[in-house]
Amino acid sequence: MGIVIYHYPVPAASSVKIMIEASAPAKIILFGEHAVVYGQPAIAVPVSSLRATANVAANNPSGQGLRIAAADLNEVLPISIESEIVDHSLAATARLVLKTLKATTPDVTITLHSAIPMASGLGSGAAVSAALGRALSAAVHQTIENETLNALVYEMEKTYHGTPSGIDNTVIVYEQPVYFVRGAPIEKMPIGAAFTLLIGDTGQGALTKIAVGDVRKLFEADPERIQPILDEIGALVKRAKIAIESGEISELGPLMLKNHALLQQLTVSSHELDQLVEAAVNAGAAGAKLSGGGRGGNMIALVTPESSENVRQALLNAGAVRVFETTVTP
Ligand code: MEV
């Protein structure tokens, strides 16, 4: 049987008992986005309070197949996919999971919810794929190892991003701070002391794929000018790693501002992101920068309990549509 994806709410069967819930968090890149695509290190942390969840209900008549109901995800469906020609990323994820686990299609409905804003640099696509992968594995009575899930979500990321470094799926699947170098073994990062960030959303959706593609064009047109910028980002990421691990949080603010300036040179900031960064710093944040693909999406600001409320207000006054707080803890 094929896979059917429904626009939410699910027709008729929505009162069924939920049997399994799986989830995955959002992420933010603290340092090193874009340069990480070129082999430089980057640091990312999960945002566990913002999640994508997948609930499994075994409500379908035997042989009816898998249904995916995508709440909050703006799906334009139903789509029924009987062939290998896959035109929907959720169906493609489900197929890949079942193929990887060598499982037959279960007769269940999986309902997806995501509290993670889409196309905003917070990893919503990877989190939804990871939650779906976990739920579907449970539905076929198998445990999917993080390593397998990570490889699978990376495959899906390629369809969203083209040439992803792999940092987003890694931090989301392992739900741990990571120091990431493309192609190197995963390095989980100890956190020396807790620090708090505000995440300010410009409200402007931006496709990472386009920003990454534009940086590629810039690089190919003038590698002599761009390579030193990437190297400089790599060097500051290494300094940030030492500061984070040793709990020297006061070092991070200036490094964030430097990283933002270098991202501006890579043309991935925007007027709105620059405004939010400036507003945060003027309101007392120790540092701020765009986070993720840029050109819109989110920025982050380093705050203390004393500065947090002031900075939050300043971000809202400067046009942020949402402000989330997250604390990175040891
Ligand atoms: C996106 O969250 C991070 C980028 O560096 C792209 C990637 O690493 O795949 C912009």
Side-chain angles (χ1 to χ4, degrees):
M1 268 294 145
I3 298 166
V4 180
I5 304 184
Y6 283 107
H7 214 1
Y8 204 75
V10 191
S14 53
S15 60
V16 289
K17 203 171 106 212
I18 290 169
M19 295 166 56
I20 299 161
E21 180 168 295
S23 70
K27 63 85 197 168
I28 44 177
I29 308 249
L30 298 186
F31 295 97
E33 53 275 269
H34 286 288
V36 69
V37 175
Y38 298 80
Q40 301 291 343
I43 298 170
V45 294
V47 182
S48 295
S49 57
L50 274 182
R51 307 189 76 83
T53 57
N55 295 310
V56 183
N59 60 311
N60 299 347
S62 177
Q64 200 174 326
L66 169 67
R67 286 142 199 268
I68 300 174
D72 327 317
L73 296 174
N74 296 330
E75 296 305 339
V76 238
L77 302 167
I79 303 171
S80 178
I81 301 164
E82 299 289 345
S83 72
E84 287 301 316
I85 303 163
V86 172
D87 58 356
H88 194 279
S89 62
L90 295 174
T93 306
R95 279 192 186 285
L96 195 56
V97 173
L98 294 174
K99 199 170 152 197
T100 306
L101 298 175
K102 298 187 176 54
T104 51
T105 310
D107 296 317
V108 298
T109 295
I110 298 183
T111 302
L112 299 171
H113 293 266
S114 180
I116 309 169
M118 291 171 76
S120 69
L122 296 177
S124 68
V128 168
S129 297
L132 175 58
R134 286 187 173 128
L136 190 49
S137 313
V140 297
H141 310 290
Q142 294 197 38
T143 306
I144 192 160
E145 300 300 333
N146 280 343
E147 196 181 340
T148 311
L149 184 64
N150 195 27
L152 202 144
V153 178
Y154 181 63
E155 283 307 304
M156 295 315 306
E157 285 287 282
K158 286 190 200 163
T159 65
Y160 297 120
H161 287 185
T163 54
S165 65
I167 189 169
D168 290 6
N169 46 284
T170 301
V171 66
I172 282 167
V173 167
Y174 287 90
E175 201 165 345
Q176 296 228 6
V178 292
Y179 178 80
F180 184 90
V181 180
R182 194 172 187 169
I186 296 160
E187 200 176 319
K188 293 172 191 161
M189 254 188 83
I191 305 293
F195 56 97
T196 299
L197 298 159
L198 294 183
I199 305 170
D201 190 346
T202 61
Q204 291 177 321
L207 292 176
T208 300
K209 187 175 185 162
I210 293 176
V212 169
D214 286 351
V215 174
R216 174 66 61 192
K217 281 185 213 147
L218 206 64
F219 179 79
E220 280 168 3
D222 196 353
E224 280 78 31
R225 188 172 73 83
I226 301 303
Q227 187 61 52
I229 300 174
L230 302 174
D231 292 342
E232 217 178 319
I233 293 176
L236 77 78
V237 174
K238 287 178 191 153
R239 279 163 53 203
K241 177 180 191 274
I242 295 168
I244 291 172
E245 288 182 349
S246 57
E248 288 158 33
I249 304 308
S250 61
E251 305 263 304
L252 296 181
L255 291 172
M256 288 169 81
L257 290 170
K258 180 74 193 156
N259 197 165
H260 185 73
L262 292 164
L263 288 164
Q264 283 174 323
Q265 290 184 41
L266 294 179
T267 76
V268 293
S269 192
S270 67
H271 176 63
E272 290 76 12
L273 283 165
D274 291 346
Q275 262 185 335
L276 294 187
V277 167
E278 197 183 325
V281 173
N282 289 341
K289 63 180 276 293
L290 73 85
S291 178
R295 296 271 173 86
N298 281 275
M299 51 72 71
I300 53 175
L302 181 64
V303 295
T304 58
E306 294 72 41
S307 67
S308 178
E309 197 41 47
N310 223 13
V311 175
R312 175 195 295 278
Q313 271 313 320
L315 288 172
L316 292 169
N317 294 343
V321 295
R322 264 177 299 244
V323 178
F324 305 101
E325 186 176 295
T326 188
T327 298
V328 183
T329 50

